[in-house]
Amino acid sequence: ETPQKKSFLDRYVALCRLNVPTFSIGWVHKGKEVLALHMKSIQITCSRVPFAAQKVELDVGHLQADHFVQGEIPVILNRKHEYAATKKVKSKLKSAINISVTKEITVTHRRFKIPTFSRVHVALAPHWVNLEIAVFIQLIEVARADGLINSTQ
């Protein structure tokens, strides 16, 4: 006897889906931008899996970090081998970052509700990092000036 095929709606019911084409956030110090993080093709999906589990998935198509301090190359972080001319490394990921979390049930223990996760999956496409030591030192100094890092004597 063959098992009966379940339809998509029987397996997953999408509760919400949020698409953001482009999102950029910057770090400004004394009126000048110092660092910027750019993300493209962001998709957040919340769905319900059978037996009352919940699944949240974050998918980012492209991730790039740029600096605006004195340095040779302005890009700190970028996806590697994204374009057809540089596909030497085979990557099956279409996205720069994919994070998927499946939450089963919430267990109550002594007045505390503890979520139980059956699966946490993080996939990261190859990226390259360019961090010149002079750029790194300048960013540390700006972070100290902004109070993000405590100076030690």
Side-chain angles (χ1 to χ4, degrees):
E1 187 174 334
T2 59
Q4 193 177 25
K5 283 189 173 183
K6 293 183 178 179
S7 70
F8 176 79
L9 289 175
D10 290 336
R11 288 181 281 148
Y12 297 96
V13 177
L15 299 176
C16 69
R17 176 172 285 170
L18 175 67
N19 292 313
V20 180
T22 303
F23 180 78
S24 295
I25 188 166
W27 177 12
V28 178
H29 173 73
K30 294 185 179 178
K32 292 185 179 180
E33 191 170 26
V34 177
L35 197 64
L37 180 66
H38 310 287
M39 293 176 275
K40 293 181 182 176
S41 303
I42 302 166
Q43 186 176 69
I44 300 170
T45 307
C46 302
S47 58
R48 185 170 299 284
V49 184
F51 308 111
Q54 297 171 345
K55 182 177 179 181
V56 177
E57 186 171 2
L58 169 67
D59 193 66
V60 178
H62 183 78
L63 177 68
Q64 179 175 332
D66 299 327
H67 73 82
F68 301 98
V69 295
Q70 196 70 26
E72 294 293 320
I73 302 174
V75 180
I76 295 176
L77 176 75
N78 202 353
R79 182 160 180 190
K80 189 174 185 179
H81 307 295
E82 185 178 10
Y83 305 103
T86 59
K87 284 189 178 177
K88 293 180 183 174
V89 173
K90 301 289 183 187
S91 176
K92 294 180 182 178
L93 290 175
K94 292 181 180 178
S95 302
I97 298 173
N98 181 276
I99 300 171
S100 175
V101 177
T102 304
K103 177 182 165 263
E104 287 296 326
I105 56 172
T106 303
V107 178
T108 304
H109 177 73
R110 295 186 188 176
R111 295 184 295 167
F112 296 106
K113 291 187 176 184
I114 304 167
T116 304
F117 299 101
S118 63
R119 182 174 182 203
V120 176
H121 177 79
V122 178
L124 180 66
H127 282 69
W128 59 264
V129 176
N130 171 51
L131 191 56
E132 302 169 52
I133 195 70
V135 170
F136 181 70
I137 291 170
Q138 289 176 70
L139 291 174
I140 293 289
E141 291 303 318
V142 171
R144 282 188 180 143
D146 281 351
L148 298 173
I149 297 176
N150 294 332
S151 299
T152 56
Q153 270 61 9

PDB file of all heavy atoms in Angstrom, residues 101-138:
ATOM      1  N   VAL A 101      15.177  28.228  11.529  1.00  0.00           N
ATOM      2  CA  VAL A 101      14.986  27.743  12.895  1.00  0.00           C
ATOM      3  C   VAL A 101      13.597  27.128  12.995  1.00  0.00           C
ATOM      4  O   VAL A 101      12.607  27.759  12.623  1.00  0.00           O
ATOM      5  CB  VAL A 101      15.117  28.890  13.927  1.00  0.00           C
ATOM      6  CG1 VAL A 101      14.849  28.388  15.325  1.00  0.00           C
ATOM      7  CG2 VAL A 101      16.486  29.535  13.835  1.00  0.00           C
ATOM      8  N   THR A 102      13.544  25.884  13.479  1.00  0.00           N
ATOM      9  CA  THR A 102      12.263  25.216  13.692  1.00  0.00           C
ATOM     10  C   THR A 102      12.060  25.034  15.185  1.00  0.00           C
ATOM     11  O   THR A 102      12.875  24.403  15.854  1.00  0.00           O
ATOM     12  CB  THR A 102      12.215  23.848  12.985  1.00  0.00           C
ATOM     13  OG1 THR A 102      12.485  24.056  11.601  1.00  0.00           O
ATOM     14  CG2 THR A 102      10.857  23.203  13.138  1.00  0.00           C
ATOM     15  N   LYS A 103      10.990  25.623  15.700  1.00  0.00           N
ATOM     16  CA  LYS A 103      10.661  25.560  17.129  1.00  0.00           C
ATOM     17  C   LYS A 103       9.528  24.570  17.299  1.00  0.00           C
ATOM     18  O   LYS A 103       8.470  24.717  16.697  1.00  0.00           O
ATOM     19  CB  LYS A 103      10.249  26.940  17.630  1.00  0.00           C
ATOM     20  CG  LYS A 103       9.820  26.972  19.073  1.00  0.00           C
ATOM     21  CD  LYS A 103       9.386  28.391  19.427  1.00  0.00           C
ATOM     22  CE  LYS A 103       8.625  28.400  20.704  1.00  0.00           C
ATOM     23  NZ  LYS A 103       7.192  28.381  20.546  1.00  0.00           N
ATOM     24  N   GLU A 104       9.761  23.568  18.096  1.00  0.00           N
ATOM     25  CA  GLU A 104       8.740  22.538  18.302  1.00  0.00           C
ATOM     26  C   GLU A 104       7.661  23.048  19.251  1.00  0.00           C
ATOM     27  O   GLU A 104       6.760  23.720  18.852  1.00  0.00           O
ATOM     28  CB  GLU A 104       9.377  21.260  18.855  1.00  0.00           C
ATOM     29  CG  GLU A 104      10.190  20.512  17.815  1.00  0.00           C
ATOM     30  CD  GLU A 104       9.351  19.982  16.664  1.00  0.00           C
ATOM     31  OE1 GLU A 104       8.203  19.605  16.870  1.00  0.00           O
ATOM     32  OE2 GLU A 104       9.868  19.965  15.550  1.00  0.00           O
ATOM     33  N   ILE A 105       7.779  22.773  20.487  1.00  0.00           N
ATOM     34  CA  ILE A 105       6.776  23.174  21.465  1.00  0.00           C
ATOM     35  C   ILE A 105       7.462  23.968  22.569  1.00  0.00           C
ATOM     36  O   ILE A 105       8.677  23.987  22.669  1.00  0.00           O
ATOM     37  CB  ILE A 105       6.072  21.942  22.072  1.00  0.00           C
ATOM     38  CG1 ILE A 105       7.112  21.001  22.681  1.00  0.00           C
ATOM     39  CG2 ILE A 105       5.230  21.231  21.038  1.00  0.00           C
ATOM     40  CD1 ILE A 105       6.523  19.858  23.471  1.00  0.00           C
ATOM     41  N   THR A 106       6.693  24.603  23.387  1.00  0.00           N
ATOM     42  CA  THR A 106       7.235  25.320  24.535  1.00  0.00           C
ATOM     43  C   THR A 106       6.973  24.482  25.783  1.00  0.00           C
ATOM     44  O   THR A 106       5.840  24.119  26.067  1.00  0.00           O
ATOM     45  CB  THR A 106       6.586  26.702  24.670  1.00  0.00           C
ATOM     46  OG1 THR A 106       6.802  27.417  23.455  1.00  0.00           O
ATOM     47  CG2 THR A 106       7.182  27.482  25.823  1.00  0.00           C
ATOM     48  N   VAL A 107       8.038  24.157  26.493  1.00  0.00           N
ATOM     49  CA  VAL A 107       7.942  23.354  27.706  1.00  0.00           C
ATOM     50  C   VAL A 107       7.885  24.296  28.901  1.00  0.00           C
ATOM     51  O   VAL A 107       8.667  25.237  28.998  1.00  0.00           O
ATOM     52  CB  VAL A 107       9.166  22.416  27.832  1.00  0.00           C
ATOM     53  CG1 VAL A 107       9.101  21.610  29.106  1.00  0.00           C
ATOM     54  CG2 VAL A 107       9.263  21.518  26.623  1.00  0.00           C
ATOM     55  N   THR A 108       6.960  24.069  29.812  1.00  0.00           N
ATOM     56  CA  THR A 108       6.860  24.883  31.016  1.00  0.00           C
ATOM     57  C   THR A 108       7.551  24.153  32.158  1.00  0.00           C
ATOM     58  O   THR A 108       7.277  22.988  32.421  1.00  0.00           O
ATOM     59  CB  THR A 108       5.389  25.141  31.376  1.00  0.00           C
ATOM     60  OG1 THR A 108       4.756  25.742  30.249  1.00  0.00           O
ATOM     61  CG2 THR A 108       5.278  26.065  32.571  1.00  0.00           C
ATOM     62  N   HIS A 109       8.501  24.859  32.790  1.00  0.00           N
ATOM     63  CA  HIS A 109       9.249  24.291  33.909  1.00  0.00           C
ATOM     64  C   HIS A 109       9.361  25.347  35.007  1.00  0.00           C
ATOM     65  O   HIS A 109      10.023  26.357  34.830  1.00  0.00           O
ATOM     66  CB  HIS A 109      10.639  23.850  33.439  1.00  0.00           C
ATOM     67  CG  HIS A 109      11.497  23.315  34.535  1.00  0.00           C
ATOM     68  ND1 HIS A 109      11.275  22.087  35.100  1.00  0.00           N
ATOM     69  CD2 HIS A 109      12.562  23.856  35.175  1.00  0.00           C
ATOM     70  CE1 HIS A 109      12.191  21.879  36.044  1.00  0.00           C
ATOM     71  NE2 HIS A 109      12.972  22.946  36.103  1.00  0.00           N
ATOM     72  N   ARG A 110       8.682  25.125  36.131  1.00  0.00           N
ATOM     73  CA  ARG A 110       8.728  26.059  37.270  1.00  0.00           C
ATOM     74  C   ARG A 110       8.451  27.498  36.860  1.00  0.00           C
ATOM     75  O   ARG A 110       9.278  28.380  37.044  1.00  0.00           O
ATOM     76  CB  ARG A 110      10.071  25.982  37.970  1.00  0.00           C
ATOM     77  CG  ARG A 110      10.340  24.676  38.616  1.00  0.00           C
ATOM     78  CD  ARG A 110      11.612  24.772  39.389  1.00  0.00           C
ATOM     79  NE  ARG A 110      12.003  23.475  39.884  1.00  0.00           N
ATOM     80  CZ  ARG A 110      13.113  23.249  40.535  1.00  0.00           C
ATOM     81  NH1 ARG A 110      13.951  24.244  40.746  1.00  0.00           N
ATOM     82  NH2 ARG A 110      13.406  22.053  40.953  1.00  0.00           N
ATOM     83  N   ARG A 111       7.355  27.755  36.273  1.00  0.00           N
ATOM     84  CA  ARG A 111       6.904  29.082  35.841  1.00  0.00           C
ATOM     85  C   ARG A 111       7.692  29.646  34.657  1.00  0.00           C
ATOM     86  O   ARG A 111       7.442  30.746  34.216  1.00  0.00           O
ATOM     87  CB  ARG A 111       6.934  30.085  36.992  1.00  0.00           C
ATOM     88  CG  ARG A 111       5.964  29.760  38.096  1.00  0.00           C
ATOM     89  CD  ARG A 111       5.985  30.835  39.130  1.00  0.00           C
ATOM     90  NE  ARG A 111       7.305  30.861  39.765  1.00  0.00           N
ATOM     91  CZ  ARG A 111       7.735  31.838  40.533  1.00  0.00           C
ATOM     92  NH1 ARG A 111       6.962  32.861  40.782  1.00  0.00           N
ATOM     93  NH2 ARG A 111       8.925  31.803  41.083  1.00  0.00           N
ATOM     94  N   PHE A 112       8.690  28.946  34.152  1.00  0.00           N
ATOM     95  CA  PHE A 112       9.449  29.423  33.002  1.00  0.00           C
ATOM     96  C   PHE A 112       9.014  28.651  31.768  1.00  0.00           C
ATOM     97  O   PHE A 112       8.846  27.440  31.812  1.00  0.00           O
ATOM     98  CB  PHE A 112      10.958  29.227  33.208  1.00  0.00           C
ATOM     99  CG  PHE A 112      11.510  30.035  34.336  1.00  0.00           C
ATOM    100  CD1 PHE A 112      11.867  29.428  35.533  1.00  0.00           C
ATOM    101  CD2 PHE A 112      11.669  31.403  34.211  1.00  0.00           C
ATOM    102  CE1 PHE A 112      12.368  30.165  36.573  1.00  0.00           C
ATOM    103  CE2 PHE A 112      12.177  32.155  35.251  1.00  0.00           C
ATOM    104  CZ  PHE A 112      12.529  31.542  36.434  1.00  0.00           C
ATOM    105  N   LYS A 113       8.859  29.376  30.676  1.00  0.00           N
ATOM    106  CA  LYS A 113       8.540  28.720  29.409  1.00  0.00           C
ATOM    107  C   LYS A 113       9.831  28.581  28.610  1.00  0.00           C
ATOM    108  O   LYS A 113      10.491  29.570  28.315  1.00  0.00           O
ATOM    109  CB  LYS A 113       7.507  29.524  28.646  1.00  0.00           C
ATOM    110  CG  LYS A 113       6.150  29.506  29.312  1.00  0.00           C
ATOM    111  CD  LYS A 113       5.106  30.161  28.465  1.00  0.00           C
ATOM    112  CE  LYS A 113       3.759  30.020  29.151  1.00  0.00           C
ATOM    113  NZ  LYS A 113       2.679  30.542  28.338  1.00  0.00           N
ATOM    114  N   ILE A 114      10.176  27.348  28.283  1.00  0.00           N
ATOM    115  CA  ILE A 114      11.425  27.048  27.590  1.00  0.00           C
ATOM    116  C   ILE A 114      11.095  26.548  26.185  1.00  0.00           C
ATOM    117  O   ILE A 114      10.467  25.497  26.043  1.00  0.00           O
ATOM    118  CB  ILE A 114      12.243  25.987  28.348  1.00  0.00           C
ATOM    119  CG1 ILE A 114      12.491  26.446  29.781  1.00  0.00           C
ATOM    120  CG2 ILE A 114      13.550  25.699  27.628  1.00  0.00           C
ATOM    121  CD1 ILE A 114      12.997  25.351  30.687  1.00  0.00           C
ATOM    122  N   PRO A 115      11.496  27.285  25.150  1.00  0.00           N
ATOM    123  CA  PRO A 115      11.231  26.792  23.793  1.00  0.00           C
ATOM    124  C   PRO A 115      12.157  25.626  23.461  1.00  0.00           C
ATOM    125  O   PRO A 115      13.311  25.598  23.876  1.00  0.00           O
ATOM    126  CB  PRO A 115      11.528  27.998  22.904  1.00  0.00           C
ATOM    127  CG  PRO A 115      12.456  28.831  23.700  1.00  0.00           C
ATOM    128  CD  PRO A 115      12.146  28.581  25.147  1.00  0.00           C
ATOM    129  N   THR A 116      11.644  24.668  22.708  1.00  0.00           N
ATOM    130  CA  THR A 116      12.425  23.519  22.276  1.00  0.00           C
ATOM    131  C   THR A 116      12.624  23.633  20.770  1.00  0.00           C
ATOM    132  O   THR A 116      11.651  23.717  20.022  1.00  0.00           O
ATOM    133  CB  THR A 116      11.681  22.207  22.602  1.00  0.00           C
ATOM    134  OG1 THR A 116      11.399  22.192  23.989  1.00  0.00           O
ATOM    135  CG2 THR A 116      12.520  21.004  22.236  1.00  0.00           C
ATOM    136  N   PHE A 117      13.864  23.656  20.335  1.00  0.00           N
ATOM    137  CA  PHE A 117      14.182  23.782  18.918  1.00  0.00           C
ATOM    138  C   PHE A 117      14.601  22.427  18.379  1.00  0.00           C
ATOM    139  O   PHE A 117      15.514  21.797  18.900  1.00  0.00           O
ATOM    140  CB  PHE A 117      15.300  24.801  18.694  1.00  0.00           C
ATOM    141  CG  PHE A 117      14.932  26.177  19.157  1.00  0.00           C
ATOM    142  CD1 PHE A 117      15.386  26.669  20.364  1.00  0.00           C
ATOM    143  CD2 PHE A 117      14.110  26.978  18.387  1.00  0.00           C
ATOM    144  CE1 PHE A 117      15.039  27.937  20.799  1.00  0.00           C
ATOM    145  CE2 PHE A 117      13.749  28.249  18.816  1.00  0.00           C
ATOM    146  CZ  PHE A 117      14.213  28.724  20.021  1.00  0.00           C
ATOM    147  N   SER A 118      13.927  21.990  17.333  1.00  0.00           N
ATOM    148  CA  SER A 118      14.275  20.705  16.743  1.00  0.00           C
ATOM    149  C   SER A 118      15.354  20.850  15.675  1.00  0.00           C
ATOM    150  O   SER A 118      16.062  19.912  15.371  1.00  0.00           O
ATOM    151  CB  SER A 118      13.043  20.045  16.131  1.00  0.00           C
ATOM    152  OG  SER A 118      12.544  20.836  15.079  1.00  0.00           O
ATOM    153  N   ARG A 119      15.476  22.073  15.126  1.00  0.00           N
ATOM    154  CA  ARG A 119      16.469  22.262  14.083  1.00  0.00           C
ATOM    155  C   ARG A 119      16.862  23.730  13.985  1.00  0.00           C
ATOM    156  O   ARG A 119      16.004  24.606  13.930  1.00  0.00           O
ATOM    157  CB  ARG A 119      15.912  21.814  12.740  1.00  0.00           C
ATOM    158  CG  ARG A 119      16.915  21.934  11.635  1.00  0.00           C
ATOM    159  CD  ARG A 119      16.398  21.364  10.346  1.00  0.00           C
ATOM    160  NE  ARG A 119      17.480  21.501   9.367  1.00  0.00           N
ATOM    161  CZ  ARG A 119      17.294  21.527   8.089  1.00  0.00           C
ATOM    162  NH1 ARG A 119      16.104  21.391   7.595  1.00  0.00           N
ATOM    163  NH2 ARG A 119      18.305  21.663   7.285  1.00  0.00           N
ATOM    164  N   VAL A 120      18.168  23.965  13.957  1.00  0.00           N
ATOM    165  CA  VAL A 120      18.718  25.284  13.672  1.00  0.00           C
ATOM    166  C   VAL A 120      19.728  25.072  12.553  1.00  0.00           C
ATOM    167  O   VAL A 120      20.686  24.327  12.710  1.00  0.00           O
ATOM    168  CB  VAL A 120      19.405  25.913  14.906  1.00  0.00           C
ATOM    169  CG1 VAL A 120      20.051  27.232  14.533  1.00  0.00           C
ATOM    170  CG2 VAL A 120      18.411  26.102  16.036  1.00  0.00           C
ATOM    171  N   HIS A 121      19.479  25.712  11.423  1.00  0.00           N
ATOM    172  CA  HIS A 121      20.324  25.506  10.246  1.00  0.00           C
ATOM    173  C   HIS A 121      20.841  26.867   9.771  1.00  0.00           C
ATOM    174  O   HIS A 121      20.053  27.782   9.530  1.00  0.00           O
ATOM    175  CB  HIS A 121      19.518  24.834   9.135  1.00  0.00           C
ATOM    176  CG  HIS A 121      20.275  24.637   7.867  1.00  0.00           C
ATOM    177  ND1 HIS A 121      21.181  23.621   7.693  1.00  0.00           N
ATOM    178  CD2 HIS A 121      20.283  25.344   6.726  1.00  0.00           C
ATOM    179  CE1 HIS A 121      21.702  23.705   6.489  1.00  0.00           C
ATOM    180  NE2 HIS A 121      21.175  24.757   5.879  1.00  0.00           N
ATOM    181  N   VAL A 122      22.159  26.995   9.633  1.00  0.00           N
ATOM    182  CA  VAL A 122      22.779  28.216   9.133  1.00  0.00           C
ATOM    183  C   VAL A 122      23.639  27.844   7.936  1.00  0.00           C
ATOM    184  O   VAL A 122      24.505  26.976   8.040  1.00  0.00           O
ATOM    185  CB  VAL A 122      23.649  28.898  10.216  1.00  0.00           C
ATOM    186  CG1 VAL A 122      24.325  30.139   9.649  1.00  0.00           C
ATOM    187  CG2 VAL A 122      22.820  29.242  11.433  1.00  0.00           C
ATOM    188  N   ALA A 123      23.385  28.474   6.801  1.00  0.00           N
ATOM    189  CA  ALA A 123      24.178  28.253   5.595  1.00  0.00           C
ATOM    190  C   ALA A 123      24.753  29.589   5.157  1.00  0.00           C
ATOM    191  O   ALA A 123      24.041  30.586   5.068  1.00  0.00           O
ATOM    192  CB  ALA A 123      23.310  27.657   4.493  1.00  0.00           C
ATOM    193  N   LEU A 124      26.047  29.611   4.910  1.00  0.00           N
ATOM    194  CA  LEU A 124      26.746  30.836   4.518  1.00  0.00           C
ATOM    195  C   LEU A 124      27.527  30.560   3.245  1.00  0.00           C
ATOM    196  O   LEU A 124      28.360  29.648   3.211  1.00  0.00           O
ATOM    197  CB  LEU A 124      27.693  31.281   5.643  1.00  0.00           C
ATOM    198  CG  LEU A 124      28.518  32.528   5.421  1.00  0.00           C
ATOM    199  CD1 LEU A 124      27.605  33.747   5.333  1.00  0.00           C
ATOM    200  CD2 LEU A 124      29.510  32.719   6.544  1.00  0.00           C
ATOM    201  N   ALA A 125      27.239  31.316   2.210  1.00  0.00           N
ATOM    202  CA  ALA A 125      27.969  31.191   0.950  1.00  0.00           C
ATOM    203  C   ALA A 125      29.388  31.736   1.155  1.00  0.00           C
ATOM    204  O   ALA A 125      29.627  32.528   2.070  1.00  0.00           O
ATOM    205  CB  ALA A 125      27.256  31.966  -0.144  1.00  0.00           C
ATOM    206  N   PRO A 126      30.329  31.325   0.310  1.00  0.00           N
ATOM    207  CA  PRO A 126      31.701  31.848   0.449  1.00  0.00           C
ATOM    208  C   PRO A 126      31.740  33.371   0.312  1.00  0.00           C
ATOM    209  O   PRO A 126      31.105  33.934  -0.567  1.00  0.00           O
ATOM    210  CB  PRO A 126      32.457  31.182  -0.700  1.00  0.00           C
ATOM    211  CG  PRO A 126      31.635  29.996  -1.072  1.00  0.00           C
ATOM    212  CD  PRO A 126      30.209  30.355  -0.761  1.00  0.00           C
ATOM    213  N   HIS A 127      32.465  34.012   1.208  1.00  0.00           N
ATOM    214  CA  HIS A 127      32.667  35.457   1.193  1.00  0.00           C
ATOM    215  C   HIS A 127      34.167  35.733   1.253  1.00  0.00           C
ATOM    216  O   HIS A 127      34.938  34.902   1.712  1.00  0.00           O
ATOM    217  CB  HIS A 127      32.014  36.115   2.419  1.00  0.00           C
ATOM    218  CG  HIS A 127      30.542  36.277   2.294  1.00  0.00           C
ATOM    219  ND1 HIS A 127      29.679  35.215   2.309  1.00  0.00           N
ATOM    220  CD2 HIS A 127      29.778  37.383   2.152  1.00  0.00           C
ATOM    221  CE1 HIS A 127      28.445  35.653   2.186  1.00  0.00           C
ATOM    222  NE2 HIS A 127      28.469  36.961   2.094  1.00  0.00           N
ATOM    223  N   TRP A 128      34.583  36.890   0.810  1.00  0.00           N
ATOM    224  CA  TRP A 128      35.960  37.284   1.021  1.00  0.00           C
ATOM    225  C   TRP A 128      35.978  38.490   1.937  1.00  0.00           C
ATOM    226  O   TRP A 128      35.059  39.297   1.964  1.00  0.00           O
ATOM    227  CB  TRP A 128      36.717  37.551  -0.277  1.00  0.00           C
ATOM    228  CG  TRP A 128      36.177  38.620  -1.178  1.00  0.00           C
ATOM    229  CD1 TRP A 128      35.359  38.453  -2.250  1.00  0.00           C
ATOM    230  CD2 TRP A 128      36.427  40.031  -1.102  1.00  0.00           C
ATOM    231  NE1 TRP A 128      35.069  39.654  -2.827  1.00  0.00           N
ATOM    232  CE2 TRP A 128      35.725  40.643  -2.145  1.00  0.00           C
ATOM    233  CE3 TRP A 128      37.168  40.836  -0.243  1.00  0.00           C
ATOM    234  CZ2 TRP A 128      35.747  42.008  -2.368  1.00  0.00           C
ATOM    235  CZ3 TRP A 128      37.195  42.204  -0.467  1.00  0.00           C
ATOM    236  CH2 TRP A 128      36.491  42.771  -1.515  1.00  0.00           C
ATOM    237  N   VAL A 129      37.042  38.568   2.714  1.00  0.00           N
ATOM    238  CA  VAL A 129      37.212  39.643   3.693  1.00  0.00           C
ATOM    239  C   VAL A 129      38.499  40.385   3.359  1.00  0.00           C
ATOM    240  O   VAL A 129      39.547  39.765   3.170  1.00  0.00           O
ATOM    241  CB  VAL A 129      37.286  39.076   5.130  1.00  0.00           C
ATOM    242  CG1 VAL A 129      37.555  40.183   6.127  1.00  0.00           C
ATOM    243  CG2 VAL A 129      36.016  38.334   5.474  1.00  0.00           C
ATOM    244  N   ASN A 130      38.425  41.690   3.271  1.00  0.00           N
ATOM    245  CA  ASN A 130      39.593  42.529   3.050  1.00  0.00           C
ATOM    246  C   ASN A 130      39.682  43.482   4.235  1.00  0.00           C
ATOM    247  O   ASN A 130      38.900  44.417   4.333  1.00  0.00           O
ATOM    248  CB  ASN A 130      39.462  43.336   1.753  1.00  0.00           C
ATOM    249  CG  ASN A 130      40.562  44.357   1.635  1.00  0.00           C
ATOM    250  OD1 ASN A 130      41.727  44.034   1.775  1.00  0.00           O
ATOM    251  ND2 ASN A 130      40.188  45.594   1.393  1.00  0.00           N
ATOM    252  N   LEU A 131      40.595  43.211   5.137  1.00  0.00           N
ATOM    253  CA  LEU A 131      40.728  44.073   6.297  1.00  0.00           C
ATOM    254  C   LEU A 131      42.181  44.506   6.424  1.00  0.00           C
ATOM    255  O   LEU A 131      43.021  43.776   6.934  1.00  0.00           O
ATOM    256  CB  LEU A 131      40.267  43.348   7.566  1.00  0.00           C
ATOM    257  CG  LEU A 131      40.106  44.223   8.792  1.00  0.00           C
ATOM    258  CD1 LEU A 131      39.152  45.384   8.524  1.00  0.00           C
ATOM    259  CD2 LEU A 131      39.575  43.422   9.952  1.00  0.00           C
ATOM    260  N   GLU A 132      42.452  45.680   5.914  1.00  0.00           N
ATOM    261  CA  GLU A 132      43.795  46.238   6.038  1.00  0.00           C
ATOM    262  C   GLU A 132      44.012  46.624   7.494  1.00  0.00           C
ATOM    263  O   GLU A 132      43.101  47.115   8.156  1.00  0.00           O
ATOM    264  CB  GLU A 132      43.929  47.479   5.160  1.00  0.00           C
ATOM    265  CG  GLU A 132      43.658  47.233   3.691  1.00  0.00           C
ATOM    266  CD  GLU A 132      43.536  48.536   2.932  1.00  0.00           C
ATOM    267  OE1 GLU A 132      44.452  49.383   3.053  1.00  0.00           O
ATOM    268  OE2 GLU A 132      42.520  48.699   2.237  1.00  0.00           O
ATOM    269  N   ILE A 133      45.205  46.419   7.997  1.00  0.00           N
ATOM    270  CA  ILE A 133      45.492  46.700   9.411  1.00  0.00           C
ATOM    271  C   ILE A 133      45.271  48.188   9.715  1.00  0.00           C
ATOM    272  O   ILE A 133      44.756  48.528  10.779  1.00  0.00           O
ATOM    273  CB  ILE A 133      46.902  46.227   9.817  1.00  0.00           C
ATOM    274  CG1 ILE A 133      47.051  46.194  11.341  1.00  0.00           C
ATOM    275  CG2 ILE A 133      47.988  47.066   9.209  1.00  0.00           C
ATOM    276  CD1 ILE A 133      46.269  45.125  12.012  1.00  0.00           C
ATOM    277  N   ALA A 134      45.606  49.077   8.778  1.00  0.00           N
ATOM    278  CA  ALA A 134      45.396  50.512   9.000  1.00  0.00           C
ATOM    279  C   ALA A 134      43.906  50.838   9.109  1.00  0.00           C
ATOM    280  O   ALA A 134      43.491  51.651   9.944  1.00  0.00           O
ATOM    281  CB  ALA A 134      46.035  51.315   7.874  1.00  0.00           C
ATOM    282  N   VAL A 135      43.084  50.188   8.292  1.00  0.00           N
ATOM    283  CA  VAL A 135      41.629  50.389   8.349  1.00  0.00           C
ATOM    284  C   VAL A 135      41.098  49.855   9.666  1.00  0.00           C
ATOM    285  O   VAL A 135      40.277  50.499  10.333  1.00  0.00           O
ATOM    286  CB  VAL A 135      40.942  49.696   7.144  1.00  0.00           C
ATOM    287  CG1 VAL A 135      39.428  49.683   7.324  1.00  0.00           C
ATOM    288  CG2 VAL A 135      41.323  50.384   5.849  1.00  0.00           C
ATOM    289  N   PHE A 136      41.567  48.685  10.069  1.00  0.00           N
ATOM    290  CA  PHE A 136      41.147  48.077  11.331  1.00  0.00           C
ATOM    291  C   PHE A 136      41.475  49.000  12.505  1.00  0.00           C
ATOM    292  O   PHE A 136      40.628  49.244  13.367  1.00  0.00           O
ATOM    293  CB  PHE A 136      41.838  46.719  11.502  1.00  0.00           C
ATOM    294  CG  PHE A 136      41.459  45.997  12.743  1.00  0.00           C
ATOM    295  CD1 PHE A 136      40.191  45.463  12.895  1.00  0.00           C
ATOM    296  CD2 PHE A 136      42.366  45.835  13.784  1.00  0.00           C
ATOM    297  CE1 PHE A 136      39.825  44.789  14.047  1.00  0.00           C
ATOM    298  CE2 PHE A 136      42.017  45.166  14.926  1.00  0.00           C
ATOM    299  CZ  PHE A 136      40.749  44.646  15.065  1.00  0.00           C
ATOM    300  N   ILE A 137      42.670  49.566  12.539  1.00  0.00           N
ATOM    301  CA  ILE A 137      43.079  50.478  13.619  1.00  0.00           C
ATOM    302  C   ILE A 137      42.206  51.732  13.619  1.00  0.00           C
ATOM    303  O   ILE A 137      41.769  52.196  14.679  1.00  0.00           O
ATOM    304  CB  ILE A 137      44.575  50.835  13.499  1.00  0.00           C
ATOM    305  CG1 ILE A 137      45.421  49.590  13.810  1.00  0.00           C
ATOM    306  CG2 ILE A 137      44.948  51.990  14.417  1.00  0.00           C
ATOM    307  CD1 ILE A 137      46.894  49.742  13.485  1.00  0.00           C
ATOM    308  N   GLN A 138      41.913  52.287  12.443  1.00  0.00           N
ATOM    309  CA  GLN A 138      41.061  53.481  12.368  1.00  0.00           C
ATOM    310  C   GLN A 138      39.649  53.189  12.874  1.00  0.00           C
ATOM    311  O   GLN A 138      39.062  54.000  13.597  1.00  0.00           O
ATOM    312  CB  GLN A 138      40.985  53.976  10.927  1.00  0.00           C
ATOM    313  CG  GLN A 138      42.288  54.596  10.426  1.00  0.00           C
ATOM    314  CD  GLN A 138      42.156  54.976   8.969  1.00  0.00           C
ATOM    315  OE1 GLN A 138      41.425  55.913   8.657  1.00  0.00           O
ATOM    316  NE2 GLN A 138      42.844  54.258   8.085  1.00  0.00           N
TER     317      GLN A 138
END
